[in-house]
mmCIF file of all heavy atoms in Angstrom:
data_model
loop_
_atom_site.group_PDB
_atom_site.id
_atom_site.type_symbol
_atom_site.label_atom_id
_atom_site.label_comp_id
_atom_site.label_asym_id
_atom_site.label_seq_id
_atom_site.Cartn_x
_atom_site.Cartn_y
_atom_site.Cartn_z
ATOM 1 N N MET A 72 0.801 -1.208 0.000
ATOM 2 C CA MET A 72 0.000 0.000 0.000
ATOM 3 C C MET A 72 0.841 1.268 0.000
ATOM 4 O O MET A 72 0.342 2.354 0.181
ATOM 5 C CB MET A 72 -0.926 0.015 1.225
ATOM 6 C CG MET A 72 -2.015 -1.045 1.169
ATOM 7 S SD MET A 72 -3.242 -0.696 -0.109
ATOM 8 C CE MET A 72 -4.088 0.703 0.624
ATOM 9 N N GLY A 73 2.159 1.157 -0.140
ATOM 10 C CA GLY A 73 2.964 2.359 -0.210
ATOM 11 C C GLY A 73 3.354 2.895 1.143
ATOM 12 O O GLY A 73 3.200 2.236 2.170
ATOM 13 N N ALA A 81 -0.662 5.841 2.057
ATOM 14 C CA ALA A 81 -0.921 6.815 0.997
ATOM 15 C C ALA A 81 -2.059 6.318 0.118
ATOM 16 O O ALA A 81 -2.302 5.116 0.030
ATOM 17 C CB ALA A 81 0.343 7.036 0.181
ATOM 18 N N PRO A 82 -2.786 7.208 -0.537
ATOM 19 C CA PRO A 82 -4.078 6.834 -1.165
ATOM 20 C C PRO A 82 -3.972 6.052 -2.463
ATOM 21 O O PRO A 82 -4.681 6.343 -3.426
ATOM 22 C CB PRO A 82 -4.739 8.192 -1.379
ATOM 23 C CG PRO A 82 -3.600 9.131 -1.593
ATOM 24 C CD PRO A 82 -2.519 8.647 -0.656
ATOM 25 N N TRP A 83 -3.121 5.077 -2.504
ATOM 26 C CA TRP A 83 -3.087 4.104 -3.594
ATOM 27 C C TRP A 83 -4.289 3.178 -3.423
ATOM 28 O O TRP A 83 -4.674 2.838 -2.299
ATOM 29 C CB TRP A 83 -1.786 3.317 -3.510
ATOM 30 C CG TRP A 83 -1.620 2.209 -4.500
ATOM 31 C CD1 TRP A 83 -1.033 2.303 -5.720
ATOM 32 C CD2 TRP A 83 -2.009 0.841 -4.341
ATOM 33 N NE1 TRP A 83 -1.026 1.075 -6.341
ATOM 34 C CE2 TRP A 83 -1.623 0.155 -5.516
ATOM 35 C CE3 TRP A 83 -2.646 0.121 -3.327
ATOM 36 C CZ2 TRP A 83 -1.847 -1.205 -5.708
ATOM 37 C CZ3 TRP A 83 -2.877 -1.232 -3.510
ATOM 38 C CH2 TRP A 83 -2.478 -1.881 -4.681
ATOM 39 N N THR A 84 -4.927 2.800 -4.534
ATOM 40 C CA THR A 84 -6.084 1.907 -4.440
ATOM 41 C C THR A 84 -5.829 0.635 -5.239
ATOM 42 O O THR A 84 -5.225 0.693 -6.325
ATOM 43 C CB THR A 84 -7.359 2.587 -4.970
ATOM 44 O OG1 THR A 84 -8.460 1.664 -4.894
ATOM 45 C CG2 THR A 84 -7.214 3.043 -6.414
ATOM 46 N N PRO A 85 -6.273 -0.517 -4.739
ATOM 47 C CA PRO A 85 -6.123 -1.749 -5.512
ATOM 48 C C PRO A 85 -7.111 -1.854 -6.664
ATOM 49 O O PRO A 85 -6.942 -2.687 -7.548
ATOM 50 C CB PRO A 85 -6.373 -2.852 -4.478
ATOM 51 C CG PRO A 85 -7.269 -2.205 -3.470
ATOM 52 C CD PRO A 85 -6.823 -0.776 -3.399
ATOM 53 N N GLU A 86 -8.133 -0.971 -6.666
ATOM 54 C CA GLU A 86 -9.149 -1.049 -7.720
ATOM 55 C C GLU A 86 -9.882 0.276 -7.803
ATOM 56 O O GLU A 86 -10.632 0.630 -6.899
ATOM 57 C CB GLU A 86 -10.133 -2.183 -7.411
ATOM 58 C CG GLU A 86 -11.116 -2.466 -8.519
ATOM 59 C CD GLU A 86 -11.972 -3.684 -8.219
ATOM 60 O OE1 GLU A 86 -12.941 -3.568 -7.442
ATOM 61 O OE2 GLU A 86 -11.652 -4.764 -8.733
ATOM 62 N N GLU A 87 -9.658 1.031 -8.898
ATOM 63 C CA GLU A 87 -10.352 2.322 -9.024
ATOM 64 C C GLU A 87 -11.767 2.118 -9.552
ATOM 65 O O GLU A 87 -12.242 0.990 -9.667
ATOM 66 C CB GLU A 87 -9.533 3.301 -9.885
ATOM 67 C CG GLU A 87 -8.982 2.732 -11.174
ATOM 68 C CD GLU A 87 -9.961 2.699 -12.325
ATOM 69 O OE1 GLU A 87 -10.196 3.744 -12.945
ATOM 70 O OE2 GLU A 87 -10.466 1.608 -12.645
ATOM 71 N N ARG A 88 -12.443 3.188 -9.890
ATOM 72 C CA ARG A 88 -13.887 3.130 -10.103
ATOM 73 C C ARG A 88 -14.310 2.188 -11.229
ATOM 74 O O ARG A 88 -15.430 1.681 -11.221
ATOM 75 C CB ARG A 88 -14.445 4.537 -10.363
ATOM 76 C CG ARG A 88 -14.174 5.067 -11.763
ATOM 77 C CD ARG A 88 -14.715 6.466 -11.993
ATOM 78 N NE ARG A 88 -16.144 6.567 -11.774
ATOM 79 C CZ ARG A 88 -16.880 7.598 -12.192
ATOM 80 N NH1 ARG A 88 -16.318 8.592 -12.850
ATOM 81 N NH2 ARG A 88 -18.163 7.635 -11.956
ATOM 82 N N TRP A 89 -13.441 1.953 -12.206
ATOM 83 C CA TRP A 89 -13.813 1.085 -13.316
ATOM 84 C C TRP A 89 -13.431 -0.371 -13.063
ATOM 85 O O TRP A 89 -13.557 -1.215 -13.938
ATOM 86 C CB TRP A 89 -13.206 1.594 -14.626
ATOM 87 C CG TRP A 89 -13.663 2.967 -14.985
ATOM 88 C CD1 TRP A 89 -12.903 4.087 -15.122
ATOM 89 C CD2 TRP A 89 -15.006 3.385 -15.240
ATOM 90 N NE1 TRP A 89 -13.677 5.171 -15.444
ATOM 91 C CE2 TRP A 89 -14.983 4.767 -15.527
ATOM 92 C CE3 TRP A 89 -16.243 2.722 -15.252
ATOM 93 C CZ2 TRP A 89 -16.133 5.508 -15.819
ATOM 94 C CZ3 TRP A 89 -17.391 3.462 -15.551
ATOM 95 C CH2 TRP A 89 -17.323 4.819 -15.832
ATOM 96 N N GLU A 90 -12.923 -0.656 -11.881
ATOM 97 C CA GLU A 90 -12.789 -2.023 -11.360
ATOM 98 C C GLU A 90 -11.714 -2.861 -12.035
ATOM 99 O O GLU A 90 -11.698 -4.078 -11.883
ATOM 100 C CB GLU A 90 -14.134 -2.773 -11.447
ATOM 101 C CG GLU A 90 -15.266 -2.056 -10.734
ATOM 102 C CD GLU A 90 -16.622 -2.721 -10.949
ATOM 103 O OE1 GLU A 90 -16.699 -3.678 -11.743
ATOM 104 O OE2 GLU A 90 -17.590 -2.290 -10.312
ATOM 105 N N ASN A 91 -10.801 -2.242 -12.769
ATOM 106 C CA ASN A 91 -9.810 -3.071 -13.452
ATOM 107 C C ASN A 91 -8.395 -2.521 -13.396
ATOM 108 O O ASN A 91 -7.522 -3.019 -14.115
ATOM 109 C CB ASN A 91 -10.222 -3.310 -14.910
ATOM 110 C CG ASN A 91 -10.356 -2.027 -15.709
ATOM 111 O OD1 ASN A 91 -9.973 -0.951 -15.234
ATOM 112 N ND2 ASN A 91 -10.892 -2.121 -16.910
ATOM 113 N N GLN A 92 -8.145 -1.506 -12.542
ATOM 114 C CA GLN A 92 -6.793 -0.978 -12.418
ATOM 115 C C GLN A 92 -6.506 -0.577 -10.971
ATOM 116 O O GLN A 92 -7.396 -0.117 -10.251
ATOM 117 C CB GLN A 92 -6.575 0.247 -13.310
ATOM 118 C CG GLN A 92 -6.547 -0.042 -14.792
ATOM 119 C CD GLN A 92 -5.380 -0.904 -15.210
ATOM 120 O OE1 GLN A 92 -4.328 -0.917 -14.565
ATOM 121 N NE2 GLN A 92 -5.545 -1.635 -16.308
ATOM 122 N N SER A 93 -5.257 -0.738 -10.593
ATOM 123 C CA SER A 93 -4.779 -0.219 -9.317
ATOM 124 C C SER A 93 -3.944 1.028 -9.580
ATOM 125 O O SER A 93 -3.504 1.263 -10.709
ATOM 126 C CB SER A 93 -3.918 -1.278 -8.614
ATOM 127 O OG SER A 93 -2.779 -1.599 -9.415
ATOM 128 N N GLY A 94 -3.731 1.829 -8.541
ATOM 129 C CA GLY A 94 -2.880 2.993 -8.698
ATOM 130 C C GLY A 94 -3.404 4.194 -7.942
ATOM 131 O O GLY A 94 -4.193 4.075 -6.993
ATOM 132 N N TYR A 95 -2.955 5.364 -8.365
ATOM 133 C CA TYR A 95 -3.343 6.635 -7.769
ATOM 134 C C TYR A 95 -4.376 7.284 -8.688
ATOM 135 O O TYR A 95 -4.044 7.827 -9.741
ATOM 136 C CB TYR A 95 -2.128 7.547 -7.604
ATOM 137 C CG TYR A 95 -1.123 7.032 -6.607
ATOM 138 C CD1 TYR A 95 -0.190 6.059 -6.965
ATOM 139 C CD2 TYR A 95 -1.088 7.526 -5.304
ATOM 140 C CE1 TYR A 95 0.739 5.582 -6.063
ATOM 141 C CE2 TYR A 95 -0.153 7.055 -4.384
ATOM 142 C CZ TYR A 95 0.747 6.081 -4.773
ATOM 143 O OH TYR A 95 1.676 5.609 -3.864
ATOM 144 N N SER A 96 -5.622 7.212 -8.299
ATOM 145 C CA SER A 96 -6.737 7.704 -9.103
ATOM 146 C C SER A 96 -7.262 9.001 -8.508
ATOM 147 O O SER A 96 -7.591 9.042 -7.315
ATOM 148 C CB SER A 96 -7.851 6.656 -9.129
ATOM 149 O OG SER A 96 -9.111 7.232 -9.341
ATOM 150 N N PRO A 97 -7.392 10.087 -9.289
ATOM 151 C CA PRO A 97 -7.937 11.327 -8.724
ATOM 152 C C PRO A 97 -9.341 11.159 -8.180
ATOM 153 O O PRO A 97 -9.685 11.746 -7.142
ATOM 154 C CB PRO A 97 -7.885 12.320 -9.891
ATOM 155 C CG PRO A 97 -7.693 11.494 -11.120
ATOM 156 C CD PRO A 97 -6.987 10.253 -10.696
ATOM 157 N N THR A 99 -10.685 8.372 -6.889
ATOM 158 C CA THR A 99 -10.616 7.626 -5.643
ATOM 159 C C THR A 99 -10.029 8.475 -4.527
ATOM 160 O O THR A 99 -10.542 8.480 -3.400
ATOM 161 C CB THR A 99 -9.767 6.354 -5.834
ATOM 162 O OG1 THR A 99 -10.357 5.547 -6.850
ATOM 163 C CG2 THR A 99 -9.691 5.554 -4.551
ATOM 164 N N ILE A 100 -8.968 9.194 -4.823
ATOM 165 C CA ILE A 100 -8.351 10.037 -3.807
ATOM 166 C C ILE A 100 -9.337 11.099 -3.327
ATOM 167 O O ILE A 100 -9.409 11.404 -2.124
ATOM 168 C CB ILE A 100 -7.054 10.676 -4.335
ATOM 169 C CG1 ILE A 100 -6.022 9.581 -4.643
ATOM 170 C CG2 ILE A 100 -6.475 11.658 -3.321
ATOM 171 C CD1 ILE A 100 -4.784 10.087 -5.367
ATOM 172 N N GLU A 103 -11.615 9.523 -0.884
ATOM 173 C CA GLU A 103 -10.911 9.244 0.369
ATOM 174 C C GLU A 103 -10.769 10.515 1.204
ATOM 175 O O GLU A 103 -10.976 10.498 2.430
ATOM 176 C CB GLU A 103 -9.542 8.642 0.061
ATOM 177 C CG GLU A 103 -9.609 7.251 -0.541
ATOM 178 C CD GLU A 103 -8.297 6.763 -1.099
ATOM 179 O OE1 GLU A 103 -7.432 7.595 -1.458
ATOM 180 O OE2 GLU A 103 -8.123 5.542 -1.183
ATOM 181 N N TRP A 140 0.405 13.482 -7.544
ATOM 182 C CA TRP A 140 0.220 12.066 -7.830
ATOM 183 C C TRP A 140 -0.474 11.808 -9.163
ATOM 184 O O TRP A 140 -0.298 10.742 -9.747
ATOM 185 C CB TRP A 140 -0.610 11.407 -6.720
ATOM 186 C CG TRP A 140 0.092 11.230 -5.410
ATOM 187 C CD1 TRP A 140 1.373 10.803 -5.212
ATOM 188 C CD2 TRP A 140 -0.461 11.468 -4.113
ATOM 189 N NE1 TRP A 140 1.651 10.752 -3.862
ATOM 190 C CE2 TRP A 140 0.549 11.160 -3.169
ATOM 191 C CE3 TRP A 140 -1.706 11.907 -3.649
ATOM 192 C CZ2 TRP A 140 0.348 11.267 -1.788
ATOM 193 C CZ3 TRP A 140 -1.906 12.014 -2.281
ATOM 194 C CH2 TRP A 140 -0.883 11.701 -1.364
ATOM 195 N N THR A 141 -1.292 12.758 -9.639
ATOM 196 C CA THR A 141 -2.196 12.430 -10.748
ATOM 197 C C THR A 141 -2.236 13.439 -11.895
ATOM 198 O O THR A 141 -2.948 13.214 -12.873
ATOM 199 C CB THR A 141 -3.638 12.254 -10.225
ATOM 200 O OG1 THR A 141 -4.109 13.510 -9.698
ATOM 201 C CG2 THR A 141 -3.712 11.188 -9.142
ATOM 202 N N LEU A 155 -4.698 12.702 -15.174
ATOM 203 C CA LEU A 155 -4.719 11.404 -15.823
ATOM 204 C C LEU A 155 -5.816 10.537 -15.229
ATOM 205 O O LEU A 155 -6.343 10.826 -14.150
ATOM 206 C CB LEU A 155 -3.373 10.697 -15.634
ATOM 207 C CG LEU A 155 -2.154 11.449 -16.168
ATOM 208 C CD1 LEU A 155 -0.878 10.668 -15.865
ATOM 209 C CD2 LEU A 155 -2.282 11.711 -17.660
ATOM 210 N N ARG A 156 -6.161 9.478 -15.937
ATOM 211 C CA ARG A 156 -7.086 8.498 -15.358
ATOM 212 C C ARG A 156 -6.533 8.020 -14.026
ATOM 213 O O ARG A 156 -7.239 7.990 -13.017
ATOM 214 C CB ARG A 156 -7.271 7.320 -16.309
ATOM 215 C CG ARG A 156 -8.094 6.193 -15.700
ATOM 216 C CD ARG A 156 -7.942 4.900 -16.469
ATOM 217 N NE ARG A 156 -8.701 3.826 -15.846
ATOM 218 C CZ ARG A 156 -8.654 2.559 -16.235
ATOM 219 N NH1 ARG A 156 -7.873 2.205 -17.253
ATOM 220 N NH2 ARG A 156 -9.366 1.642 -15.619
ATOM 221 N N LEU A 157 -5.271 7.631 -14.029
ATOM 222 C CA LEU A 157 -4.565 7.218 -12.823
ATOM 223 C C LEU A 157 -3.091 7.117 -13.149
ATOM 224 O O LEU A 157 -2.694 7.118 -14.317
ATOM 225 C CB LEU A 157 -5.085 5.874 -12.282
ATOM 226 C CG LEU A 157 -5.072 4.647 -13.197
ATOM 227 C CD1 LEU A 157 -3.690 3.971 -13.241
ATOM 228 C CD2 LEU A 157 -6.094 3.618 -12.723
ATOM 229 N N THR A 158 -2.274 7.042 -12.114
ATOM 230 C CA THR A 158 -0.876 6.688 -12.288
ATOM 231 C C THR A 158 -0.630 5.398 -11.530
ATOM 232 O O THR A 158 -1.224 5.154 -10.482
ATOM 233 C CB THR A 158 0.078 7.773 -11.773
ATOM 234 O OG1 THR A 158 -0.090 7.941 -10.366
ATOM 235 C CG2 THR A 158 -0.185 9.105 -12.475
ATOM 236 N N LYS A 159 0.221 4.578 -12.070
ATOM 237 C CA LYS A 159 0.537 3.320 -11.411
ATOM 238 C C LYS A 159 1.502 3.514 -10.252
ATOM 239 O O LYS A 159 1.552 2.692 -9.330
ATOM 240 C CB LYS A 159 1.140 2.330 -12.414
ATOM 241 C CG LYS A 159 0.244 2.018 -13.600
ATOM 242 C CD LYS A 159 -1.080 1.383 -13.186
ATOM 243 C CE LYS A 159 -0.889 -0.056 -12.719
ATOM 244 N NZ LYS A 159 -2.209 -0.715 -12.486
ATOM 245 N N ASP A 160 2.267 4.609 -10.293
ATOM 246 C CA ASP A 160 3.378 4.785 -9.367
ATOM 247 C C ASP A 160 3.379 6.111 -8.623
ATOM 248 O O ASP A 160 4.329 6.424 -7.914
ATOM 249 C CB ASP A 160 4.688 4.642 -10.141
ATOM 250 C CG ASP A 160 4.704 5.512 -11.402
ATOM 251 O OD1 ASP A 160 3.808 6.368 -11.561
ATOM 252 O OD2 ASP A 160 5.607 5.323 -12.233
ATOM 253 N N GLY A 161 2.320 6.921 -8.800
ATOM 254 C CA GLY A 161 2.306 8.221 -8.141
ATOM 255 C C GLY A 161 3.206 9.242 -8.797
ATOM 256 O O GLY A 161 3.425 10.321 -8.255
ATOM 257 N N ASN A 162 3.725 8.928 -9.989
ATOM 258 C CA ASN A 162 4.606 9.845 -10.714
ATOM 259 C C ASN A 162 4.007 10.129 -12.086
ATOM 260 O O ASN A 162 4.286 9.423 -13.056
ATOM 261 C CB ASN A 162 6.009 9.243 -10.856
ATOM 262 C CG ASN A 162 6.972 10.209 -11.525
ATOM 263 O OD1 ASN A 162 6.602 11.317 -11.942
ATOM 264 N ND2 ASN A 162 8.227 9.806 -11.637
ATOM 265 N N THR A 167 5.467 5.418 -17.302
ATOM 266 C CA THR A 167 5.109 4.094 -16.802
ATOM 267 C C THR A 167 3.972 3.519 -17.649
ATOM 268 O O THR A 167 3.034 4.243 -17.996
ATOM 269 C CB THR A 167 4.670 4.175 -15.330
ATOM 270 O OG1 THR A 167 5.693 4.845 -14.588
ATOM 271 C CG2 THR A 167 4.419 2.802 -14.744
ATOM 272 N N THR A 168 4.048 2.252 -17.976
ATOM 273 C CA THR A 168 3.033 1.640 -18.824
ATOM 274 C C THR A 168 2.185 0.648 -18.041
ATOM 275 O O THR A 168 2.606 0.111 -17.018
ATOM 276 C CB THR A 168 3.673 0.913 -20.023
ATOM 277 O OG1 THR A 168 4.498 -0.148 -19.546
ATOM 278 C CG2 THR A 168 4.493 1.877 -20.859
ATOM 279 N N TYR A 169 0.974 0.422 -18.543
ATOM 280 C CA TYR A 169 0.120 -0.630 -18.000
ATOM 281 C C TYR A 169 -0.807 -1.143 -19.091
ATOM 282 O O TYR A 169 -0.972 -0.515 -20.135
ATOM 283 C CB TYR A 169 -0.665 -0.140 -16.782
ATOM 284 C CG TYR A 169 -1.673 0.964 -16.999
ATOM 285 C CD1 TYR A 169 -3.018 0.673 -17.222
ATOM 286 C CD2 TYR A 169 -1.306 2.308 -16.919
ATOM 287 C CE1 TYR A 169 -3.958 1.679 -17.381
ATOM 288 C CE2 TYR A 169 -2.235 3.327 -17.068
ATOM 289 C CZ TYR A 169 -3.565 2.999 -17.306
ATOM 290 O OH TYR A 169 -4.498 4.005 -17.458
ATOM 291 N N SER A 170 -1.395 -2.296 -18.827
ATOM 292 C CA SER A 170 -2.301 -2.924 -19.789
ATOM 293 C C SER A 170 -3.714 -2.417 -19.556
ATOM 294 O O SER A 170 -4.240 -2.518 -18.444
ATOM 295 C CB SER A 170 -2.263 -4.447 -19.642
ATOM 296 O OG SER A 170 -3.193 -5.059 -20.518
ATOM 297 N N ILE A 171 -4.332 -1.872 -20.597
ATOM 298 C CA ILE A 171 -5.679 -1.331 -20.480
ATOM 299 C C ILE A 171 -6.690 -2.437 -20.195
ATOM 300 O O ILE A 171 -7.659 -2.257 -19.462
ATOM 301 C CB ILE A 171 -6.070 -0.573 -21.765
ATOM 302 C CG1 ILE A 171 -5.248 0.711 -21.878
ATOM 303 C CG2 ILE A 171 -7.564 -0.254 -21.784
ATOM 304 C CD1 ILE A 171 -5.573 1.768 -20.853
ATOM 305 N N GLY A 172 -6.487 -3.606 -20.792
ATOM 306 C CA GLY A 172 -7.455 -4.688 -20.647
ATOM 307 C C GLY A 172 -8.534 -4.609 -21.714
ATOM 308 O O GLY A 172 -8.588 -3.674 -22.524
ATOM 309 N N ILE A 179 0.609 0.634 -22.348
ATOM 310 C CA ILE A 179 0.352 1.999 -22.808
ATOM 311 C C ILE A 179 0.882 2.996 -21.776
ATOM 312 O O ILE A 179 0.738 2.786 -20.567
ATOM 313 C CB ILE A 179 -1.161 2.226 -23.055
ATOM 314 C CG1 ILE A 179 -1.401 3.544 -23.791
ATOM 315 C CG2 ILE A 179 -1.963 2.137 -21.785
ATOM 316 C CD1 ILE A 179 -0.987 3.523 -25.230
ATOM 317 N N GLN A 181 1.021 5.765 -19.263
ATOM 318 C CA GLN A 181 -0.067 6.273 -18.424
ATOM 319 C C GLN A 181 -0.431 7.717 -18.747
ATOM 320 O O GLN A 181 -1.568 8.149 -18.502
ATOM 321 C CB GLN A 181 0.312 6.146 -16.946
ATOM 322 C CG GLN A 181 1.524 6.938 -16.520
ATOM 323 C CD GLN A 181 1.974 6.617 -15.102
ATOM 324 O OE1 GLN A 181 1.410 5.763 -14.420
ATOM 325 N NE2 GLN A 181 3.009 7.310 -14.632
ATOM 326 N N VAL A 184 -3.586 8.249 -21.126
ATOM 327 C CA VAL A 184 -4.903 7.746 -20.726
ATOM 328 C C VAL A 184 -5.570 8.754 -19.794
ATOM 329 O O VAL A 184 -5.122 8.962 -18.658
ATOM 330 C CB VAL A 184 -4.795 6.373 -20.030
ATOM 331 C CG1 VAL A 184 -6.198 5.802 -19.795
ATOM 332 C CG2 VAL A 184 -3.962 5.397 -20.859
ATOM 333 N N TYR A 229 -12.384 6.082 -20.993
ATOM 334 C CA TYR A 229 -10.970 6.451 -21.045
ATOM 335 C C TYR A 229 -10.408 6.018 -22.400
ATOM 336 O O TYR A 229 -11.056 5.277 -23.141
ATOM 337 C CB TYR A 229 -10.168 5.822 -19.900
ATOM 338 C CG TYR A 229 -10.476 4.367 -19.628
ATOM 339 C CD1 TYR A 229 -9.974 3.349 -20.430
ATOM 340 C CD2 TYR A 229 -11.282 4.003 -18.547
ATOM 341 C CE1 TYR A 229 -10.259 2.017 -20.177
ATOM 342 C CE2 TYR A 229 -11.579 2.668 -18.279
ATOM 343 C CZ TYR A 229 -11.062 1.691 -19.099
ATOM 344 O OH TYR A 229 -11.345 0.364 -18.853
#
Side-chain angles (χ1 to χ4, degrees):
M72 292 291 289
W83 176 92
T84 178
E86 187 174 79
E87 46 82 78
R88 77 181 302 195
W89 299 118
E90 304 174 354
N91 60 10
Q92 290 295 333
S93 61
Y95 294 81
S96 154
T99 301
I100 296 171
E103 292 168 336
W140 288 317
T141 64
L155 302 178
R156 173 196 178 186
L157 57 82
T158 63
K159 302 299 288 187
D160 50 11
N162 184 357
T167 307
T168 63
Y169 64 95
S170 177
I171 291 291
I179 191 72
Q181 62 188 2
V184 187
Y229 44 78

